[in-house]
């Protein structure tokens, strides 16, 4: 009952348990994926796409460096969760101010944390389930291990920018959008149309950034 939970959060905000839960599941996902990550295959794919030619010695050096970065990222991944949630809540708080709303940030942070938690939790568990029996996984495979988005169903010859845009249309993203709209309406006291518009603007901007990076 998301509406009932969000009404409780509007009265008495709390964000600790969803943040801690997402930090734990993030570390668990890294512990499953990191040992299976084919760093050499990942780097070869990236270099082929960029048209670069490298020697085996350069590839070995890149693999060694990539392995070190992967290990650091694995243990640092839980720290990215609260940072990501704070940034997301900050963006929506800015949007609320632009629309003339005024809400306590702790309430908004609690609402956003609870709103994004279910989809992130289920997506992470499914990624671990799919990755567990695999022997090796390249970095380019990871975003599409669970075929929940439109981008996962496009062919290998489709331009990366189109895939990046298609990846936004994902079941877990849509689930998150619905709950964030509810959170902005109940906790942020926005009208339903305003909440939908704010979520559309935020994710539209993120789509532009993703497509730009893909180019």
């Amino acid at each position: 009952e998301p509406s009932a939970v969000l009404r409780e959060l509007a009265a008495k905000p709390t964000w600790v348990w969803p943040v801690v839960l997402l930090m734990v599941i993030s570390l668990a996902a890294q512990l499953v994926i990191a040992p299976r990550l084919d760093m050499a295959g990942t780097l070869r794919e990236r270099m082929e796409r960029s048209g670069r030619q490298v020697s085996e010695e350069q590839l070995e050096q890149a693999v060694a460096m990539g392995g070190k970065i992967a290990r650091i990222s694995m243990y640092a991944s839980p720290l990215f969760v609260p940072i990501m949630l704070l940034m997301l809540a900050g963006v929506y708080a800015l949007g609320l101010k632009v629309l003339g709303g005024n809400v306590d940030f702790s309430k908004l942070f609690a609402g956003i944390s609870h709103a994004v938690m279910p989809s992130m939790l289920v997506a992470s568990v499914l990624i671990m389930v799919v990755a567990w029996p695999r022997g090796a996984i390249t970095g380019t495979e990871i975003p599409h291990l669970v075929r929940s988005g439109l981008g996962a169903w496009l062919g290998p010859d489709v331009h990366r920018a189109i895939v990046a845009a298609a990846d936004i249309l994902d079941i877990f993203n849509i689930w998150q959008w619905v709950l964030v709209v509810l959170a902005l309406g109940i906790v942020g006291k926005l009208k339903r149309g305003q909440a939908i518009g704010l979520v559309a603007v935020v994710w539209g901007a993120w789509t532009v950034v993703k497509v730009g990076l893909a180019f």
Side-chain angles (χ1 to χ4, degrees):
E1 297 181 359
S3 297
V5 172
L6 290 167
R7 281 193 290 269
E8 290 179 12
L9 291 172
K12 188 178 179 181
T14 177
W15 48 264
V16 174
W17 82 265
V19 174
V20 170
L21 184 59
L22 288 176
M23 291 176 71
V24 170
I25 200 68
S26 173
L27 178 59
Q30 288 294 327
L31 290 172
V32 171
I33 291 173
R36 294 165 173 78
L37 182 61
D38 180 4
M39 189 61 67
T42 299
L43 292 172
R44 281 196 179 92
E45 285 182 357
R46 290 179 179 174
M47 289 172 183
E48 286 174 3
R49 285 185 175 184
S50 64
R52 293 174 58 190
Q53 297 294 327
V54 296
S55 65
E56 284 300 316
E57 183 180 355
Q58 290 175 313
L59 182 61
E60 288 178 6
Q61 292 175 349
V63 168
M65 180 62 68
K68 293 178 182 178
I69 294 172
R71 283 193 293 273
I72 294 171
S73 300
M74 179 175 66
Y75 294 111
S77 63
L79 300 178
F80 298 144
V81 171
I83 294 172
M84 182 272 292
L85 291 174
L86 283 168
M87 291 176 62
L88 192 59
V91 169
Y92 284 120
L94 181 62
L96 279 169
K97 286 191 175 182
V98 170
L99 293 172
N102 187 20
V103 65
D104 183 84
F105 185 78
S106 62
K107 292 183 179 181
L108 183 62
F109 182 60
I112 296 299
S113 298
H114 281 77
V116 304
M117 183 266 296
S119 58
M120 289 180 65
L121 180 64
V122 175
S124 297
V125 170
L126 288 176
I127 287 172
M128 288 189 286
V129 169
V130 174
W132 186 266
R134 297 282 296 272
I137 303 169
T138 62
T140 52
E141 289 179 285
I142 293 173
H144 297 149
L145 278 177
V146 179
R147 291 178 170 249
S148 56
L150 182 59
W153 298 95
L154 298 179
D157 297 329
V158 177
H159 194 282
R160 284 177 294 170
I162 297 175
V163 175
D167 280 339
I168 298 296
L169 295 175
D170 183 281
I171 292 171
F172 297 109
N173 284 345
I174 295 170
W175 187 1
Q176 183 183 137
W177 298 342
V178 171
L179 293 181
V180 170
V181 166
L182 285 175
L184 292 174
I186 295 171
V187 179
K189 303 186 186 305
L190 284 183
K191 294 179 180 178
R192 181 60 57 85
Q194 290 177 316
I196 293 172
L198 180 53
V199 171
V201 168
V202 170
W203 279 85
W206 175 237
T207 302
V208 171
V209 170
K210 282 194 68 176
V211 171
L213 290 173
F215 271 111

